[in-house]
Amino acid sequence: MKLIIASPSPYARKARVALLEKKIDFEEIIDIPWNKNTLTKDINPLGKIPVLLHNNHKPLFDSKLIVQYLDYYKPQPLMYPEKPEENISVRLIETVADGVCDAIVLIFLENTRKEMFRSKDWIKRQEIKIFEGVKYLSDHLKDRNYFVGSSFNISDICVYSCLEYIDLRFYKFEWRSQFPNLEKYWMFHKDRQSFKKTKPIAQTIEPLED
Ligand SMILES: N[C@@H](CCC(=O)N[C@@H](CS)C(=O)NCC(=O)O)C(=O)O
């Protein structure tokens, strides 16, 4: 399998961690999807990473769909639990964690504009989503080590990736001091090999045109 990624991307990280957890061999192809010469535009009509290329299968895109495909391809360990109630709970946590990342991406892009073109209102709107989203995650975690059920699954991948994406792109938000249960959770998972091997690395992107 080949996975097209961007090195800072929390969405690509979901697929990378799931592949490592399932011990599936894969090759990473690093792209910068925001730049004009991105590989992705010819493969995904939405121009986004991650994209999974597997044998003669059509290219698969969107992290949720890719991880679901990996669960069909190699069920153990399962990333999306089978029990309907757990499955829905996991997807809800995924939606919030991914939504926090979406808001961070939008602020990051807005800040690539010249200062006179940036919208403070737009940035504020996204910041509220980040703060409220992380509070929701903290409230749902309580003092547990796993978000849903008693073992590791996609909800943990999403939240862990989201927290480290905040550290990379929105570090003014000191989530550790505001949400000690999330810090404890982060400490519990930080030595996991699949997380250590996929630490986000910043890329420099071409600025948006005004
Ligand atoms: N919902 C998508 C989001 C993917 C996404 O937004 N990827 C970003 C990189 S972090 C991207 O490729 N953006 C390029 C663009 O929007 O043009 C997923 O979960 O895979």
Side-chain angles (χ1 to χ4, degrees), residues 53-100:
L53 306 170
H54 185 208
N55 295 337
N56 296 325
H57 203 292
K58 55 189 165 230
L60 296 177
F61 31 82
D62 195 281
S63 58
K64 298 183 206 68
L65 189 141
I66 292 172
V67 177
Q68 182 70 73
Y69 175 78
L70 296 175
D71 264 357
Y72 293 140
Y73 176 74
K74 187 170 180 199
Q76 293 307 324
L78 203 60
M79 294 293 130
Y80 289 101
E82 266 168 2
K83 281 193 204 148
E85 198 174 320
E86 285 193 354
N87 187 291
I88 294 297
S89 298
V90 155
R91 288 178 193 271
L92 194 54
I93 296 298
E94 176 173 49
T95 301
V96 176
D98 283 10
V100 168

Side-chain angles (χ1 to χ4, degrees), residues 33 42 67 69-70 74 89 126 134 137 142 156 187-188:
D42 299 326
V67 177
Y69 175 78
L70 296 175
K74 187 170 180 199
S89 298
Q126 303 311 320
V134 173
L137 295 173
K142 304 196 172 65
D156 299 303
M187 292 289 289
F188 180 81

Side-chain angles (χ1 to χ4, degrees), residues 9-11 14 33-34 46-50 62-64 98 105:
S9 170
Y11 316 102
K14 289 164 57 184
W34 309 104
L46 306 176
K48 296 185 183 195
I49 56 87
D62 195 281
S63 58
K64 298 183 206 68
D98 283 10
V105 170

Side-chain angles (χ1 to χ4, degrees), residues 5-144:
I5 67 160
S7 57
S9 170
Y11 316 102
R13 195 177 191 189
K14 289 164 57 184
R16 297 163 76 197
V17 171
L19 282 157
L20 289 168
E21 292 290 334
K22 288 175 181 289
K23 299 192 173 31
I24 299 172
D25 281 339
F26 70 106
E27 179 193 335
E28 281 182 354
I29 301 171
I30 299 179
D31 189 30
I32 304 183
W34 309 104
N35 287 2
K36 285 200 181 70
N37 64 354
T38 168
L39 303 168
T40 315
K41 64 179 186 330
D42 299 326
I43 305 176
N44 174 355
L46 306 176
K48 296 185 183 195
I49 56 87
V51 179
L52 184 76
L53 306 170
H54 185 208
N55 295 337
N56 296 325
H57 203 292
K58 55 189 165 230
L60 296 177
F61 31 82
D62 195 281
S63 58
K64 298 183 206 68
L65 189 141
I66 292 172
V67 177
Q68 182 70 73
Y69 175 78
L70 296 175
D71 264 357
Y72 293 140
Y73 176 74
K74 187 170 180 199
Q76 293 307 324
L78 203 60
M79 294 293 130
Y80 289 101
E82 266 168 2
K83 281 193 204 148
E85 198 174 320
E86 285 193 354
N87 187 291
I88 294 297
S89 298
V90 155
R91 288 178 193 271
L92 194 54
I93 296 298
E94 176 173 49
T95 301
V96 176
D98 283 10
V100 168
C101 295
D102 293 344
I104 296 173
V105 170
L106 291 174
I107 293 176
F108 173 73
L109 288 177
E110 190 69 15
N111 283 331
T112 67
R113 294 180 193 281
K114 292 194 191 96
E115 195 155 357
M116 60 192 287
F117 293 117
R118 291 179 202 161
S119 164
K120 288 201 172 67
D121 279 355
W122 175 252
I123 292 177
K124 186 78 216 153
R125 221 181 142 83
Q126 303 311 320
E127 285 184 350
I128 291 169
K129 296 183 204 302
I130 299 169
F131 300 137
E132 292 301 321
V134 173
K135 181 173 182 316
Y136 179 99
L137 295 173
S138 166
D139 289 347
H140 277 69
L141 178 65
K142 304 196 172 65
D143 61 355
R144 290 172 300 143

